[in-house]
Every structure is written in C-alpha cells, then in structure tokens.
Amino acid sequence: MEIDISLPAGMRPRGFAGPSDYPKMVGLINACNEFDGLEERTTVEEIEVRYRNLDRSFPETDMVMVDVAGELVGYTRADW
C-alpha cells in the first residue's frame, strides 16, 4: 500500500506489516508509558489478542506506521 503523507525529513510512513510489527508497537507503547511515568506495561500477547478481536477496523488498510532509520516512532489506527 502506498501512503502519501508529508513528514519531516527522515520519517517514512508505511502500512501495517502484520504481526511482525507487534514487538515494535509494544516497545513504543512501553517507552511512552515509561517516559510519562506510568507503571503500566503492554506485552506482545496483549497486542495479539487486541488486534485479533478488532471490530470495525482492518489494520492492513486502517493503520499508518512511521519509521525513522528503521525504528518505529509512531503509529495510528482508524476505526469506524
């Protein structure tokens, strides 16, 4: 899927790569929680369950991932 979004230099938008993105998403979620001083942590297993049971959202078409130098730095998912 081609994504046309204007982002700062070095940022690369892409589509959801499937379950191989789960560990990257967990790392990002946990890093953000730690930065915010939150004790809550997420696991790959929790993400797998959450994404296996989505309603009104298809990650393959409804997500945008953003990488910098090959590292996931952000993502979003739409639902309807």
Side-chain angles (χ1 to χ4, degrees), residues 2-78:
E2 186 67 30
I3 300 171
D4 184 21
I5 300 173
S6 296
L7 294 173
M11 291 188 163
R12 185 181 72 84
R14 63 174 177 83
F16 177 63
S20 66
D21 270 333
Y22 294 160
K24 298 172 190 175
M25 294 163 62
V26 166
L28 183 59
I29 291 166
N30 290 339
C32 289
N33 284 350
E34 183 176 341
F35 181 84
D36 290 340
L38 303 174
E39 292 183 17
E40 180 181 349
R41 296 296 181 264
T42 300
T43 67
V44 170
E45 292 77 18
E46 290 170 330
I47 293 291
E48 288 173 343
V49 169
R50 186 177 308 151
Y51 277 72
R52 187 171 38 242
N53 294 296
L54 290 175
D55 187 32
R56 299 183 325 257
S57 182
F58 304 98
E60 296 78 12
T61 57
D62 297 341
M63 288 185 76
V64 175
M65 317 299 276
V66 178
D67 292 333
V68 172
E71 296 292 322
L72 184 66
V73 297
Y75 69 92
T76 190
R77 180 178 54 83

